[in-house]
Amino acid sequence: MTLDIKICGLSTPETVETAIARGATHIGFVHFAKSPRHLSVERIAELVRLVDGRAETVIVTVNPDDALVARFAEEARPDWLQLHGRETPERVAEIRANTGLKVMKALPVAEAADLEAIEPYRPVADRILLDSKRPKGSVLPGGNGVSFDWTLLDSLDPELAYMLSGGIDATNVAEAVRIARPSGIDISSGVESAPGVKDVGRLNLFFDALDRLKATA
């Protein structure tokens, strides 16, 4: 079984190293001031250098302007930008063209009608990420620790390569993969001991669950 695994919202060398050692394919860093996982561009650049090509690096951001996008590309130099705001397909294409970076577009899902938003982004995004819609009162576009009804994804084009996010942890990742059949899993709060605090023990539990899943696939 080939499954990309993105650990998002990392902030320390220890957790970055643990994620890479256990097999993460994508290492995510958040630049969004309202998030407990927020890091400065300078700190992200340091951690990207630490990864040093052992996994693909992703900066998660929300509605970035041109100046911020340029800083990401020039100073931090990730492999991907993950756009988690209200970026239009045209804006996604523009960011991709201006930076030369791969772009992942996150789309919120709560009901079947939300999946209609996918198609306009397919020609312009290198990958789609499907995440739960944020709960009422939350200012965070992701990392809220809630999932959506994965059976909604039965209607998706089987050729669509997408990452699944939202409320996934060691206890339900096998179910998520079985029901949704994604090409990748994105996890953040599911490996935290507190908002924004990644936990090495929980990281290991999550990857142990993945190892069991792969052994039975």
Side-chain angles (χ1 to χ4, degrees), residues 8 16 20 22 24 49 57 60 73 86 116-117 120 136 151 154 170 182 186 188 191 195 202:
C8 197
V16 168
I20 294 172
R22 290 304 307 266
R49 289 192 292 271
T57 52
V60 180
R86 300 190 180 202
E116 297 173 7
K136 287 184 179 180
T151 64
D154 288 345
D186 180 295
S188 183
V191 288
R202 295 188 186 201

Side-chain angles (χ1 to χ4, degrees), residues 135-147:
K136 287 184 179 180
S138 174
V139 298
L140 303 180
N144 289 291
V146 296
S147 59

Side-chain angles (χ1 to χ4, degrees), residues 1 18-19 27 56 58 76 83-85 87-88 93 104 110 119 122 128 138 199-201 210 212:
M1 179 184 67
T18 298
I27 300 294
E56 297 197 45
V58 186
L83 303 176
H84 228 299
E87 301 88 1
T88 65
M104 189 181 311
E119 202 58 34
R122 290 185 72 173
I128 300 294
S138 174
D199 183 273
V200 168
L210 285 175
R212 291 191 297 271

